[in-house]
Amino acid sequence: MLALEMFRSVPKTVLGKAAGGRVPMLLTGVAAPLRLVTIPPPKVERPGWVRLRVLLSGICGSDLGMLSGKTSLYFSAVVSLPFVPGHEVVAELLEDCDDLPAGTRVVVDPVLTCAARGVDPCPACERGETNRCSRITVGDISAGLQTGFCHDTGGGWSQQLVAHRSQLHPVPHGYADEQALLIEPVACAVHTALRAGVSAGDRVLVSGAGAVGLLATLALRELTDAGEILVVAKHARQRELALEFGATEVVAPKETLRRIRRATGAFQLEPEFSAPYLLGGVDVAIDAVGSSQSLETCLHATRAGGRVVLSGMPAKADLSAAWFRELEVVGTYASAHGEEAFAKATGLVGHDAVARLAKGVATYPLHRWREALDHAHSAGRLGTVKVAFDPRRNQ
Ligand SMILES: [Zn+2]
């Protein structure tokens, strides 16, 4: 089968450049750690595992981080090289799997938990908090926090992969493949909205209006009693979409603190040689980008005792505000309580705004991977929210 394979660790090739003061670039040239290969389809001959034919597989911000060397070396211990990336997957079963007949169209919950690994459930898995599983390096398959980072399972950026029954959620009839592709990212957004711990009427800041920020905005609006939701967006199309997805108001990055200061009566301070910050501010801020700048905006715009949610894969930041303002900084990774989260996400994906968004998903055949990744890298500027591989396509 055809597959894109991540075959070497990016930091080796990129760290030298980054240390030289250059910002890491997306690697699609000769130094790319990714290549198109013909390899045998993956196989895991254990109970509950099934072969899937990929219909669509999305490109996520975390994939781009990995391909640009921005991802922390912290994660190198929870992947197994070489692997086929792609953890946002819509696929169909090539054979029966327990209650699901061959041909069933599914989305994959990518987290490779105790159930998939054939080991006794860890305390987190026992509670249904599968995204907190502590056995992601042991059991029947090689290390890998998710499908798309594990050597043995394959991933979505290929014609076939294998997945465990516990990872599979059937897609309702009437949903286009592009719409189904958004179920997994929406399940993550559902989890983010819950982790935000919003109380009725809370003022919420969402920093970033790419897929993560837009879907978090939707989940906050639909599943919580948030009051004002202020979304930070860079590009015109993102501003329109944020309003469709439930934002009360959209601001440019540079306007953010001033806008929050006006709305909340906070004081703005201008320290010497450092970024301005507020005394007072929003109740909850969600970093949906993962850049230092976006995280700093969240830390600096949240009132004392408020909550900052790390939804994008985070970069380094000055944590002074977290200490001084006693902020609760919480992470949100993947989704928990699979059945429940995916059922909620499947419902939200039926929302008109998401169905319209799905029509704008840009798809590429595997061999045009350089174009696809460049497109995903510039998606915001180009007015695209999601770019995906369609391995069925030849052109
Ligand atoms: Zn576990």
Side-chain angles (χ1 to χ4, degrees):
M1 65 162 193
L2 271 183
L4 291 167
E5 185 182 71
M6 178 100 180
F7 68 101
R8 67 176 166 220
S9 158
V10 183
K12 278 185 198 154
T13 51
V14 170
L15 273 187
K17 290 182 205 164
R22 282 165 59 186
V23 177
M25 304 277 288
L26 186 66
L27 292 175
T28 56
V30 283
L34 197 70
R35 61 189 172 196
L36 184 66
V37 290
T38 303
I39 49 174
K43 236 188 221 176
V44 174
E45 285 170 338
R46 300 289 299 164
W49 283 87
V50 63
R51 291 182 303 127
L52 306 175
R53 184 170 82 101
V54 179
L55 304 175
L56 288 177
S57 183
I59 300 171
C60 165
S62 62
D63 298 319
L64 297 175
M66 180 178 75
L67 290 164
S68 63
K70 279 186 196 160
T71 304
S72 166
L73 291 171
Y74 175 95
F75 294 103
S76 60
V78 288
V79 304
S80 44
L81 284 162
F83 61 81
V84 177
H87 58 273
E88 297 175 0
V89 185
V90 184
E92 62 185 21
L93 270 63
L94 285 169
E95 57 214 1
D96 298 344
C97 179
D98 301 340
D99 54 318
L100 301 177
T104 305
R105 191 169 54 140
V106 293
V107 287
V108 175
D109 179 349
V111 181
L112 292 166
T113 62
C114 290
R117 292 178 170 279
V119 297
D120 289 338
C122 68
C125 280
E126 228 161 36
R127 290 192 296 270
E129 295 165 355
T130 44
N131 58 339
R132 297 183 179 182
C133 178
S134 53
R135 311 243 159 100
I136 50 174
T137 59
V138 298
D140 292 341
I141 49 172
S142 48
L145 67 167
Q146 295 190 351
T147 296
F149 300 93
C150 172
H151 173 73
D152 292 345
T153 60
W157 298 2
S158 68
Q159 292 174 311
Q160 277 188 42
L161 75 157
V162 289
H164 188 262
R165 174 65 188 90
S166 60
Q167 297 180 272
L168 305 179
H169 301 278
V171 176
H173 296 293
Y175 275 33
D177 291 339
E178 287 79 3
Q179 213 176 343
L181 180 69
L182 298 173
I183 293 175
E184 193 276 336
V186 172
C188 298
V190 166
H191 185 61
T192 298
L194 298 175
R195 293 285 288 158
V198 173
S199 301
D202 271 358
R203 187 175 265 124
V204 183
L205 173 72
V206 178
S207 176
V212 173
L214 289 172
L215 299 177
T217 302
L218 177 78
L220 284 164
R221 185 50 83 208
E222 297 291 320
L223 304 176
T224 75
D225 293 326
E228 186 181 76
I229 302 177
L230 186 69
V231 176
V232 183
K234 273 187 184 167
H235 307 286
R237 178 72 185 132
Q238 292 180 334
R239 285 194 282 276
E240 289 168 19
L241 286 167
L243 292 170
E244 281 181 39
F245 277 65
T248 315
E249 199 181 327
V250 184
V251 287
K254 279 185 181 161
E255 301 294 316
T256 309
L257 281 197
R258 198 180 324 159
R259 166 66 184 75
I260 294 171
R261 176 175 60 77
R262 268 208 318 269
T264 62
F267 292 103
Q268 182 163 332
L269 303 187
E270 309 276 347
E272 261 188 298
F273 309 115
S274 186
Y277 63 88
L278 299 182
L279 296 179
V282 297
D283 302 296
V284 177
I286 296 176
D287 171 19
V289 178
S291 67
S292 296
Q293 192 193 19
S294 171
L295 181 49
E296 189 177 80
T297 299
C298 291
L299 291 164
H300 288 185
T302 303
R303 66 161 169 83
R307 180 171 277 209
V308 172
V309 182
L310 311 177
S311 184
M313 199 188 261
K316 290 186 171 64
D318 178 353
L319 289 173
S320 300
W323 177 77
F324 180 49
R325 300 281 85 200
E326 296 199 333
L327 303 176
E328 290 178 37
V329 179
V330 301
T332 168
Y333 162 67
S335 64
H337 304 285
E339 286 295 332
E340 212 181 310
F342 275 73
K344 270 191 192 137
T346 302
L348 285 179
V349 166
H351 196 283
D352 285 350
V354 187
R356 277 198 300 279
L357 185 73
K359 291 201 175 98
V361 171
T363 64
Y364 288 85
L366 292 172
H367 71 89
R368 286 170 58 196
W369 61 274
R370 287 188 172 87
E371 264 174 275
L373 293 171
D374 284 338
H375 189 168
H377 193 58
S378 309
R381 188 167 51 75
L382 298 172
T384 310
V385 174
K386 182 57 71 184
V387 180
F389 288 108
D390 180 347
R392 296 165 295 184
R393 276 176 59 185
N394 296 317
Q395 293 300 320

